[in-house]
Amino acid sequence: MEFKAIRGVEDIIPPESEKFERVVDTFKEIVKLSGFKEVILPIFEEAKLFTRSVGETTDIVQKEMYVFQDKGGRTIALRPEGTASAVRAYVENGIYAREPFTKWFYVGPMFRFERPQAGRKRQFFQAGCEVFGIKEPGADAELIKVASDILKKLGIDAELQINSIGCKKCRPEYRRALISFLRERVNELCPTCRERLERNPLRVLDCKEESCQEVVSRAPKITDFLCQECKEHYERVKEYLKLLSVPFVENPLLVRGLDYYTKTVFEFKSSKLGAQSTVLAGGRYDDLIEEIGGPRTPALGFAMGIDRAILLLPESKERREGVFVVTRGEEAYRRGLKVVSFLREKGVKSEIDHRRGSFKAQMKAADRNRARYALIIGEEEVENDFFSLRDLETGKQERVEGLEELLGRL
Ligand SMILES: [Zn+2]
Ligand SMILES: [Zn+2]
């Protein structure tokens, strides 16, 4: 065929799209219970926004961003994540001046030029939440609980890992300690980490290479370098998580691949996709709003990978639903058209086979379309003015007189 979808950019066709819908609906249902409101953000922004927020030295900005010149000569990027746009919108619209605190959620496609594999696509979908204006650790624990509720409701089994990566005050000291530790063992590091060592040493902590993990297991821990404020914050978050019965493990190597995080970071990981992979992740970013040009405002958020969540959904039995009308002869077809239109007006899902093939072919279509009932209108039914209703789950067939009785039976 001449045309193909771009590599890593996949169609989501039924029944996969039904799972997509289930994930998004569940996400929305849960976050709305906690007062989050939807924000609809643009898919592309000035590239600078991401360079500034996600960080110049991150893999996302250096290797993975789709950047292009538009016809006006602006440098544009397809968004690689959602938080930067949410923060830009929050600042640009002056939300901070009218709301004591703000809770937003968004759903949509993101774009990263990565090597495509299971659960990693170049166009992928995220559902995310952002909380602006709350510095207290209760907000961190509440947000993590919301995330945990979403996964639980979806039936996704994932381990929560948390860490604190400190703040502008305490992280530089840790960074120095880490760099000097790693410099002495530079020969044991993978080539990427040797390169990362000076400009983004924290990323060495979550390198997947065995040699690097070995080095890192002996490295100084960020949690030993936290300032008083960060330490207290982290302790409180853990206390509240226990209070809310959210199980977690502390992972001092958890750093996330984005520069804007401060204090709390967390990931929900599942081992069901081969190597441990993250289905939902987030953290606090108390400096970002100021860096984007707003007033100093604490903030935190998370994003869930919808494509990965779909892969992790437990198998559910496909449900049969609605009525499929099977007819023979013009008069039966006309009655069928009216029945379908009546049922739809009453809110019952219904279909009719306009191709009007053999009885057998129409019954097969009813089955393929996962209808619960076949409503059969043949010559006998037309002559004696009734319907035959066959339950496709049990195979039982009943005589039904008139539309009102039909509605009552469904
Ligand atoms: Zn600190
Ligand atoms: Zn490495």
Side-chain angles (χ1 to χ4, degrees):
M1 197 195 131
E2 190 180 355
F3 294 110
K4 282 201 163 102
I6 306 287
R7 185 167 140 81
V9 179
E10 284 169 19
D11 305 308
I12 304 173
I13 58 178
E16 284 303 290
S17 54
E18 284 161 19
K19 293 183 182 171
F20 187 100
E21 193 184 13
R22 176 144 57 99
V23 169
V24 172
D25 287 352
T26 304
F27 167 84
K28 287 187 178 179
E29 182 194 329
I30 302 284
V31 301
K32 283 179 181 173
L33 288 175
S34 309
F36 286 88
K37 295 200 167 71
E38 183 160 19
V39 58
I40 297 165
L41 300 163
I43 287 174
F44 53 87
E45 300 264 6
E46 271 188 86
K48 261 202 321 247
L49 174 67
F50 302 109
T51 318
R52 179 84 61 86
S53 56
V54 174
E56 223 150 338
T57 62
T58 57
D59 285 351
I60 294 175
V61 165
Q62 292 214 324
K63 300 182 208 157
E64 297 166 2
M65 214 153 60
Y66 280 89
V67 181
F68 60 94
Q69 298 277 314
D70 73 3
K71 293 200 186 332
R74 285 169 285 255
T75 305
I76 304 292
L78 298 183
R79 61 180 182 190
E81 59 105 52
T83 299
S85 299
V87 168
R88 198 261 313 131
Y90 176 78
V91 173
E92 185 176 346
N93 293 286
I95 310 297
Y96 51 84
R98 20 180 230 265
E99 292 182 1
F101 59 85
T102 298
K103 292 171 167 180
W104 279 354
F105 75 85
Y106 59 84
V107 176
M110 309 291 159
F111 306 87
R112 291 183 200 173
F113 193 79
E114 291 188 277
R115 208 163 58 78
Q117 49 184 284
R120 177 168 296 164
K121 299 191 277 181
R122 290 178 176 173
Q123 174 178 274
F124 58 101
F125 292 83
Q126 285 191 338
C129 283
E130 313 293 349
V131 179
F132 302 121
I134 310 177
K135 67 175 192 307
E136 283 73 13
D140 306 45
E142 181 192 44
L143 188 73
I144 294 171
K145 173 73 164 81
V146 167
S148 148
D149 285 349
I150 293 166
L151 296 175
K152 193 182 272 177
K153 183 103 197 224
L154 287 169
I156 293 173
D157 200 17
E159 181 184 81
L160 168 61
Q161 299 188 354
I162 62 168
N163 192 22
S164 174
I165 56 167
C167 65
K168 271 202 276 212
K169 275 180 283 168
C170 53
R171 206 181 330 168
E173 199 195 327
Y174 174 65
R175 215 183 121 101
R176 279 193 293 275
L178 183 62
I179 290 179
S180 75
F181 172 87
L182 293 174
R183 266 195 203 132
E184 284 169 33
R185 291 152 186 88
V186 67
N187 294 329
E188 298 163 55
L189 298 176
C190 76
T192 318
C193 286
R194 271 177 230 172
E195 221 181 282
R196 275 175 182 157
L197 174 54
E198 303 292 332
R199 50 180 175 82
N200 203 348
L202 264 65
R203 285 314 306 275
V204 177
L205 296 180
D206 67 356
C207 179
K208 304 280 182 287
E209 293 291 329
E210 215 173 295
S211 57
C212 297
Q213 288 186 350
E214 167 60 25
V215 172
V216 154
S217 67
R218 289 171 282 129
K221 303 275 181 283
I222 177 102
T223 32
D224 295 329
F225 286 76
L226 296 178
C227 66
Q228 197 54 32
E229 190 193 319
C230 287
K231 196 181 283 175
E232 269 168 31
H233 187 96
Y234 190 38
E235 288 308 316
R236 279 301 179 84
V237 172
K238 289 187 280 182
E239 237 173 74
Y240 293 146
L241 285 175
K242 283 178 194 154
L243 181 76
L244 299 173
S245 307
V246 180
F248 61 86
V249 293
E250 289 183 67
N251 177 1
L253 302 179
L254 187 69
V255 290
R256 309 284 303 127
L258 303 91
D259 279 359
Y260 53 62
Y261 285 115
T262 52
K263 292 184 178 158
T264 314
V265 289
F266 59 93
E267 289 191 8
F268 285 84
K269 293 185 180 191
S270 165
S271 48
K272 281 201 185 131
L273 298 173
Q276 262 220 338
S277 77
T278 302
V279 60
L280 186 157
R284 185 168 271 287
Y285 50 91
D286 288 342
D287 303 326
L288 183 58
I289 291 173
E290 197 176 19
E291 276 159 24
I292 296 295
R296 180 148 188 85
T297 311
L300 62 159
F302 71 74
M304 171 173 68
I306 296 175
D307 311 81
R308 285 193 190 169
I310 289 172
L311 293 175
L312 292 169
L313 282 182
E315 275 310 314
S316 65
K317 235 185 94 213
E318 217 187 327
R319 273 182 49 240
R320 289 185 168 274
E321 192 194 354
V323 176
F324 195 99
V325 176
V326 170
T327 66
R328 179 177 291 154
E330 178 64 20
E331 188 48 36
Y333 175 67
R334 283 166 182 264
R335 291 179 74 186
L337 285 175
K338 283 172 77 173
V339 171
V340 163
S341 128
F342 168 81
L343 288 176
R344 288 177 186 167
E345 281 168 20
K346 297 292 180 189
V348 178
K349 185 192 163 217
S350 46
E351 287 187 88
I352 186 166
D353 195 340
H354 300 287
R355 303 169 308 163
R356 296 153 70 185
S358 69
F359 180 76
K360 206 175 143 192
Q362 291 186 54
M363 287 303 286
K364 210 171 155 187
D367 186 53
R368 284 289 305 168
N369 288 22
R370 309 301 293 166
R372 172 69 197 269
Y373 298 99
L375 187 76
I376 300 158
I377 315 175
E379 282 128 16
E380 202 199 327
E381 281 84 357
V382 169
E383 204 150 305
N384 299 305
D385 198 18
F386 69 98
F387 304 113
S388 296
L389 185 67
R390 187 181 296 179
D391 187 330
L392 296 175
E393 235 158 52
T394 62
K396 229 177 84 187
Q397 188 164 318
E398 291 177 311
R399 186 187 168 104
V400 177
E401 316 272 348
L403 291 172
E404 290 306 324
E405 191 188 330
L406 172 64
L407 207 55
R409 291 286 179 89
L410 298 174

